[in-house]
Amino acid sequence: MIVDKIKQLKVEKNAVILAHYYQDSAIQDIADYVGDSLALARWAAETDADVIVVCGVHFMAETAKILSPSKRVFLPDMNAGCSLADSCPPEAFAEFVKQHPDHTVISYINTSAAIKVLTDVVVTSSNVRQVVNSFPPKAKLIFAPDRNFGNYINSITGRRMVLWKGACHVHERFSLEKILELKKEHPDALLLAHPECKGVILVLADYIGSTSALLNYSIKSKNQVFIVATESGILHEMQEKNPNKTFIPAPPNDSTCACNECNFMKLNTLEKLYDCLKNETPEIFLDEKTIEAAAKPIHRMLELSTKLR
Ligand code: SF4
């Protein structure tokens, strides 16, 4: 069985498999660690394995390489990109930063290494609020690349961060009408939403948070039914942790499918994971200068988020 073969290769190569919550359930089940971007970054920085396989998207594998440059880092499918990271091209962003010379640059972890090089501090959806609040109230800040997330953080912190106008194709396309219909069908359901969703969805949400925060909320809440407005892969862990509760994926507006999946995340499969471990490809390579410069804002985030915990 492929699962046994992967387990065997993992031992032979002293490899660790890190999987994001948005991966297929079969991959989540075989991973050593399953978590959100912040957790994956922490594990990548701390592991003593020789090989790290990141079952997620390209920027997550790059982050693992930046944090563990002496390790070999693999991504089962090199085409597993991220529309949000792609919405922030380095040349255009460098020009944007130049136009705001006295600003501190805060970038969401969903960016390429080239954007991290232009960044003062990286954030994830788990720590963004604390990191933003660690700056003086009048500090001039740029937030990139997600405009929905940036607007939300501005609204809850009273900041006026200058926003790069990027977005994630998954979180942008939740249908307000279909969510309202679901709310009518399930009047007791609570709407849980990721801050990358559009403002009209966030206004309606009963709870807004990172993937980990949404999961924890579903565990602690006494409510029985939840409509979940983020990538539908998280429902696997929610259901595992709450076998008696009901989780309904919020539907997108442009499809007949009931749930909203990230096609990039779903490019990784058990077969590709097996091939990648066996053939030791595709591998992430970054030059030393990029690693050194991109590591600084990530380490700053890890230090701040540990201090502010
Ligand atoms: S869900 Fe959106 S932000 Fe997350 S990896 Fe997919 S495209 Fe990127």
Side-chain angles (χ1 to χ4, degrees):
M1 236 179 102
I2 193 156
V3 168
D4 298 322
K5 288 186 192 165
I6 292 172
K7 284 183 182 162
Q8 195 183 330
L9 279 172
K10 228 170 44 141
V11 176
E12 277 170 27
K13 307 211 172 193
N14 187 25
V16 67
I17 298 174
L18 309 183
H20 192 270
Y21 283 130
Y22 296 171
Q23 291 294 286
D24 268 341
S25 47
I27 291 184
Q28 293 192 40
D29 288 341
I30 201 174
D32 297 286
Y33 300 101
V34 182
D36 63 6
S37 307
L38 178 60
L40 297 192
R42 282 214 171 98
W43 289 321
E46 287 163 11
T47 182
D48 51 13
D50 297 319
V51 167
I52 303 173
V53 183
V54 177
C55 294
V57 293
H58 191 264
F59 76 81
M60 294 173 182
E62 268 192 348
T63 305
K65 183 68 188 174
I66 292 164
L67 291 172
S68 281
S70 61
K71 314 264 155 93
R72 297 186 70 192
V73 176
F74 300 101
L75 177 67
D77 190 322
M78 222 26 142
N79 293 317
C82 167
S83 58
L84 179 53
D86 291 347
S87 70
C88 193
E91 296 76 22
F93 188 63
E95 191 50 43
F96 183 74
V97 172
K98 223 195 262 172
Q99 285 163 10
H100 302 87
D102 45 356
H103 285 58
T104 298
V105 181
I106 300 177
S107 292
Y108 195 24
I109 199 162
N110 299 39
T111 50
S112 64
I115 297 295
K116 291 184 175 82
V117 168
L118 299 166
T119 295
D120 295 299
V121 59
V122 166
V123 292
T124 72
S125 47
S126 297
N127 59 27
V128 57
R129 187 179 185 155
Q130 290 90 328
V131 172
V132 169
N133 279 335
S134 72
F135 288 95
K138 293 244 165 6
K140 291 180 176 176
L141 307 172
I142 287 175
F143 183 82
D146 192 290
R147 62 180 171 220
N148 296 326
F149 203 169
N151 272 323
Y152 171 67
I153 296 300
N154 274 343
S155 76
I156 59 170
T157 60
R159 304 282 171 145
R160 289 172 151 206
M161 295 189 294
V162 181
L163 307 181
W164 178 262
K165 303 277 192 285
C168 153
H169 75 295
V170 174
H171 290 92
E172 277 259 297
R173 70 183 177 203
F174 285 112
S175 161
L176 178 64
E177 290 72 27
K178 289 182 187 172
I179 290 175
L180 287 171
E181 276 167 32
L182 277 176
K183 288 273 258 182
K184 239 189 241 168
E185 276 170 46
H186 307 274
D188 296 334
L190 294 182
L191 175 63
L192 310 182
H194 192 281
E196 286 170 33
C197 296
K198 282 184 175 168
V200 284
I201 306 290
L202 297 180
V203 164
L204 201 66
D206 296 289
Y207 182 74
I208 299 167
S210 67
T211 5
S212 300
L214 299 183
L215 174 65
N216 289 338
Y217 185 87
S218 77
I219 295 167
K220 285 186 191 144
S221 170
K222 291 202 167 46
N223 216 67
Q224 289 300 307
V225 187
F226 302 88
I227 301 166
V228 184
T230 189
E231 212 275 352
S232 54
I234 186 63
L235 270 76
H236 176 66
E237 187 74 2
M238 283 179 168
Q239 202 65 74
E240 290 245 306
K241 294 275 183 330
N242 303 281
N244 299 320
K245 295 182 182 176
T246 303
F247 296 94
I248 306 163
N253 54 21
D254 53 357
S255 141
T256 49
C257 177
C259 63
N260 199 355
E261 289 191 339
C262 173
N263 44 340
F264 296 113
M265 283 278 183
K266 300 308 191 249
L267 284 175
N268 296 318
T269 60
L270 277 184
E271 288 71 23
K272 288 180 193 169
L273 171 56
Y274 170 72
D275 287 345
C276 149
L277 264 171
K278 185 169 154 241
N279 303 322
E280 304 188 359
T281 187
E283 182 167 359
I284 301 289
F285 294 103
L286 288 169
D287 64 74
E288 264 178 49
K289 221 169 126 198
T290 302
I291 289 179
E292 201 186 314
K296 283 184 195 152
I298 306 177
H299 283 303
R300 194 165 171 200
M301 167 189 77
L302 292 174
E303 281 157 24
L304 272 174
S305 59
T306 305
K307 232 189 271 170
L308 300 169
R309 250 184 209 174

